[in-house]
C-alpha cells in the first residue's frame, strides 16, 4: 500500500471518535481528531513548493488523499520532503499515542521561541539505530468548542529528543473512554430531551 494511504488508514482509526481522558489530578480531557487536522499532522503545510498541498484547505487535502489523487510519490518530489519524511514513517504510532499511560501538561514558556499552542502532549519513545526518538502528539483547545481538544501537531524529535518533556509536568492518565460520534449524538439528545422521551420516541419509530 502507498505509504501516504497507509498513514491515512492509521488516522482513520482515531478520526471521528471522542477520547475522554481522566487524569489522576481529577481533570478531564476530551479529544476529537477530525479530517481538517490531518494535513497539519502530516506536515503538508511545510511543502511550500507544492501549493496544491501547502495552500489548499485541509478538507480538500484530506479528500484528495482519500481518493488517491495525492500519493507518497507526489510528496517525494518536493525539495522540502525531508522535513516531513519521518512524520509519515512513524505515523502508525499515532493511534498508540492516543492510548498513552501518561501525558505532558505542557508549558511552552519553558522553551525558547516555542510556537506551540498545545496544552498537552502525548509522547512515546522509539529506538532507531540504538538512539532514542521521541514522538509527540500535541493537542490544543478548539476555538469554537474550548471544552474539546483537537490535534495541533505530530512531532518526531530526533535531535534533543526529550526537548518537549524536559522540565515539564508529567501527569498520569487514570482512565480513557472512547465514544463514537453516534454515541455522543445520542448522549446529547438524552441531555436535551430526557431519557424517557428519547426511549418513547424510539418505541414509536420501531
Amino acid at each position: 500500500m502507498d505509504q501516504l494511504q497507509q498513514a491515512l488508514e492509521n488516522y482513520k482509526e482515531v478520526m471521528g471518535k471522542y477520547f475522554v481522558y481522566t487524569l489522576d489530578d481529577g481533570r478531564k480531557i476530551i479529544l476529537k481528531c477530525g479530517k481538517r487536522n490531518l494535513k497539519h499532522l502530516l506536515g503538508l503545510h511545510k511543502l511550500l513548493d507544492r501549493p496544491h498541498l501547502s495552500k489548499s484547505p485541509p478538507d480538500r487535502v484530506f479528500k484528495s488523499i482519500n481518493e488517491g489523487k495525492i500519493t507518497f510519490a507526489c510528496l517525494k518530489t518536493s525539495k522540502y520532503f525531508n522535513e516531513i519524511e519521518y512524520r509519515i514513517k512513524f505515523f502508525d504510532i499515532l493511534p498508540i499515542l492516543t492510548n498513552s499511560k501518561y501525558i505532558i501538561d505542557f508549558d511552552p514558556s519553558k522553551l525558547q521561541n516555542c510556537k506551540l499552542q498545545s496544552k498537552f502532549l502525548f509522547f512515546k519513545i522509539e529506538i532507531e539505530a540504538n538512539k532514542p526518538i521521541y514522538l509527540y502528539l500535541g493537542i490544543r483547545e478548539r476555538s469554537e468548542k474550548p471544552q474539546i481538544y483537537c490535534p495541533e501537531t505530530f512531532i518526531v524529535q530526533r535531535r534533543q529528543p526529550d526537548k518537549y518533556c524536559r522540565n515539564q509536568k508529567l501527569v498520569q492518565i487514570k482512565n480513557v473512554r472512547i465514544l463514537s460520534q453516534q454515541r455522543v449524538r445520542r448522549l446529547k439528545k438524552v441531555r436535551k430531551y430526557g431519557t424517557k422521551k428519547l426511549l418513547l420516541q424510539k418505541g414509536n419509530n420501531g
Side-chain angles (χ1 to χ4, degrees):
M1 180 183 287
D2 179 90
Q3 284 182 261
L4 185 59
Q5 282 295 316
Q6 185 59 62
L8 174 62
E9 292 305 311
N10 291 327
Y11 189 66
K12 285 180 179 179
E13 291 184 32
V14 298
M15 190 179 74
K17 298 175 183 175
Y18 289 80
F19 293 79
V20 184
Y21 301 92
T22 302
L23 308 186
D24 66 354
D25 58 10
R27 286 179 293 175
K28 286 198 174 183
I29 300 170
I30 302 174
L31 170 66
K32 184 186 179 188
C33 303
K35 293 180 180 180
R36 295 181 58 82
N37 305 120
L38 180 65
K39 173 186 171 181
H40 205 85
L41 292 175
L42 289 172
L44 303 184
H45 59 288
K46 294 177 178 288
L47 306 183
L48 300 179
D49 56 346
R50 298 292 180 269
H52 66 289
L53 294 172
S54 59
K55 301 297 184 183
S56 290
D59 288 335
R60 186 181 300 169
V61 172
F62 181 92
K63 186 172 184 289
S64 295
I65 296 174
N66 196 41
E67 293 175 349
K69 295 178 180 177
I70 298 174
T71 64
F72 185 70
C74 172
L75 304 186
K76 289 181 71 175
T77 62
S78 170
K79 66 180 181 181
Y80 300 103
F81 174 72
N82 66 311
E83 295 187 28
I84 70 166
E85 180 178 4
Y86 278 87
R87 292 197 193 203
I88 298 173
K89 179 178 179 178
F90 287 101
F91 210 72
D92 62 322
I93 303 295
L94 192 138
I96 299 173
L97 282 170
T98 59
N99 288 287
S100 300
K101 299 291 185 184
Y102 292 88
I103 195 169
I104 298 166
D105 191 344
F106 187 63
D107 181 358
S109 67
K110 293 183 178 180
L111 291 173
Q112 285 188 344
N113 303 318
C114 181
K115 297 180 180 179
L116 290 183
Q117 298 177 26
S118 296
K119 171 61 179 167
F120 296 99
L121 298 175
F122 296 97
F123 74 101
K124 190 178 189 302
I125 304 171
E126 291 287 301
I127 301 296
E128 184 178 72
N130 295 319
K131 293 181 180 180
I133 297 175
Y134 279 52
L135 309 176
Y136 300 94
L137 175 64
I139 64 173
R140 61 172 178 81
E141 289 182 307
R142 294 169 61 177
S143 56
E144 69 277 17
K145 292 182 179 179
Q147 72 275 22
I148 298 178
Y149 287 77
C150 66
E152 179 192 12
T153 187
F154 177 56
I155 301 170
V156 179
Q157 193 69 20
R158 302 174 69 205
R159 297 178 182 176
Q160 297 182 329
D162 64 344
K163 174 181 177 180
Y164 294 100
C165 61
R166 193 188 310 136
N167 301 321
Q168 299 284 348
K169 182 181 178 182
L170 196 64
V171 183
Q172 184 178 3
I173 297 173
K174 288 181 64 178
N175 181 52
V176 56
R177 287 191 304 148
I178 304 174
L179 305 175
S180 66
Q181 281 187 312
Q182 291 83 357
R183 172 69 173 160
V184 170
R185 288 194 194 103
R186 185 179 181 280
L187 289 173
K188 287 179 179 177
K189 215 170 183 181
V190 168
R191 293 191 189 102
K192 185 174 181 180
Y193 299 110
T195 306
K196 185 176 180 181
K197 186 171 182 179
L198 179 63
L199 290 174
L200 285 171
Q201 186 182 53
K202 285 182 69 177
N204 292 334
N205 292 336

